[in-house]
Amino acid sequence: MQDEIQEFIEKRFGVTTNVFLQALRSSPSANGYIMGAISELLLKQYLESLGYEVLRIKEKPAGGNNAKNSEARGDFYIRKKGETKNEWLVIECKGLKSNSEFRGSKLDNKDKLFRFLKPLAFPKPDAKQKTYDKGLKAYTKTKEDWEKKNPNKTFPPFTWVLETAGAFSVYLTDIWETEQDLKTWIDSQPDEVFTEQAYRNVEGAIAILETHQPSKRIGEITQINQAAPLVKDFNIMAVDLFLRTGRHEFAFMNSEKISHSPTSPEHLYQNYTIDVLVKDEKTQPIFTPPWYNDLEKLIQDTNPTPREIDESQLDTREDFDEIGE
């Protein structure tokens, strides 16, 4: 295997293994691409272990983005092996945001962390209702403005569900009994767990499992341009949690069942928070709808809408399948 790796690097990149590793260590973007490729490969293996036929979708079909099918913007078409109906689900593979905890000095001291954790650990009884109402208010204003500018046209509907309203799916209600307990825990943490380096190394006070999907898309009905996927781009998103859990495990959601952008119902949010891990107190993620760690249960519970395959979008390269052999 060592000789095979060395031969591959020298043939593909024209450098020694040492030079390749130095370049890899110095390039976060290269690390990101490789991590993405690993996630896709592991997802493919997971899907096949569940009995799915898995077909890879091209990243860039001939003809560029204009040739990309608006209903095949994920990574794979899947359906159960042996199924003969032309009914497939499109699944998109993503990773976690790498700077959720420290971007903009977000959680660099104890006071900031307390303000962040308090509403998650001790949510008010009407917290979800307020989130829902806030989203509906933003939607209603956008809808009214858009329909004034587009007479005789109908703005897409608001489809949020109260129980899963908004972009946060986090519950920390069983860790601390009182707000004072929370404050005491935070005050007991050493200063070094609030640094960027600690958060980068997943040694910080908390770890945020937040998705990252900044793909710029234009709504087909509204023509609203946002830096986020469209709801119809794929059926299911699979998020590799490795960056925060240290394990390649996936969280799944149905794009039709998660809260869409309140100001553009054709778009998803750019970021969703799946869960928050707490140092020494909560080290394993808890999956609550609309997020699942069991793909079969997600499909059973949420019934994603199948679509016909577009064979012009298929990636027939053999290299992808050979990697895992």
Side-chain angles (χ1 to χ4, degrees), residues 2-279:
Q2 182 95 22
D3 291 341
E4 186 179 345
I5 292 172
Q6 184 174 341
E7 181 183 351
F8 174 81
I9 290 172
E10 291 178 353
K11 182 178 180 180
R12 183 63 61 94
F13 299 100
V15 296
T16 65
T17 304
N18 285 338
V19 170
F20 177 82
L21 287 175
Q22 289 177 37
L24 189 58
R25 289 191 180 107
S26 66
S27 174
S29 61
N31 276 261
Y33 280 118
I34 292 174
M35 186 63 72
I38 290 171
S39 295
E40 289 177 15
L41 178 59
L42 294 178
L43 176 61
K44 182 174 185 288
Q45 292 174 347
Y46 169 78
L47 294 167
E48 289 175 337
S49 76
L50 294 177
Y52 285 94
E53 182 179 359
V54 183
L55 302 180
R56 184 167 174 79
I57 296 171
K58 293 178 182 178
E59 292 184 17
K60 294 181 180 179
N65 285 333
N66 289 335
K68 189 77 172 174
N69 187 323
S70 63
E71 294 191 351
R73 289 183 173 268
D75 293 303
F76 303 109
Y77 279 113
I78 67 169
R79 70 175 178 183
K80 279 291 186 177
K81 292 177 181 176
E83 178 60 65
T84 57
K85 292 181 181 178
N86 188 12
E87 293 183 349
W88 300 76
L89 299 177
V90 173
I91 188 164
E92 168 81 342
C93 184
K94 289 291 186 183
L96 293 173
K97 197 171 183 179
S98 62
N99 61 354
S100 293
E101 302 87 357
F102 56 84
R103 185 181 182 188
S105 302
K106 181 178 177 180
L107 299 172
D108 63 355
N109 64 48
K110 296 177 179 181
D111 287 340
K112 290 179 182 177
L113 182 61
F114 180 78
R115 290 196 295 271
F116 177 80
L117 289 178
K118 178 183 172 182
L120 303 180
F122 305 100
K124 296 190 185 302
D126 61 349
K128 274 298 178 185
Q129 186 66 58
K130 284 188 174 180
T131 298
Y132 182 91
D133 291 345
K134 183 178 179 181
L136 181 58
K137 182 178 180 181
Y139 165 85
T140 301
K141 184 179 186 313
T142 303
K143 178 177 185 284
E144 290 173 352
D145 292 343
W146 186 87
E147 290 185 343
K148 284 179 183 176
K149 297 175 183 176
N150 297 273
N152 303 318
K153 292 185 179 180
T154 302
F155 199 66
F158 184 77
T159 62
W160 283 24
V161 175
L162 178 61
E163 291 76 13
T164 58
F168 262 69
S169 301
V170 181
Y171 297 90
L172 302 177
T173 52
D174 297 324
I175 300 177
W176 304 279
E177 290 188 8
T178 66
E179 290 182 18
Q180 183 58 49
D181 289 339
L182 168 60
K183 190 173 189 311
T184 298
W185 178 82
I186 292 175
D187 288 342
S188 72
Q189 300 303 308
D191 291 340
E192 54 264 29
V193 303
F194 299 92
T195 64
E196 177 177 329
Q197 194 58 48
Y199 286 126
R200 282 189 183 277
N201 294 337
V202 200
E203 297 171 348
I206 66 171
I208 302 174
L209 280 59
E210 184 179 14
T211 67
H212 190 50
Q213 42 187 3
S215 51
K216 197 171 186 181
R217 301 284 281 120
I218 298 174
E220 295 181 356
I221 297 172
T222 64
Q223 295 299 298
I224 293 174
N225 190 342
Q226 285 191 5
L230 296 177
V231 173
K232 67 177 293 186
D233 282 348
F234 47 82
N235 297 106
I236 297 167
M237 177 180 286
V239 183
D240 187 349
L241 305 183
F242 175 80
L243 282 183
R244 289 297 176 269
T245 68
R247 299 179 302 279
H248 288 287
E249 55 186 326
F250 292 94
F252 302 96
M253 67 84 160
N254 178 341
S255 65
E256 294 178 312
K257 301 300 182 181
I258 202 164
S259 293
H260 54 70
S261 165
T263 55
S264 178
E266 290 181 279
H267 285 88
L268 296 171
Y269 277 99
Q270 185 180 108
N271 303 309
Y272 293 91
T273 301
I274 301 167
D275 201 6
V276 173
L277 304 182
V278 181
K279 184 175 179 288

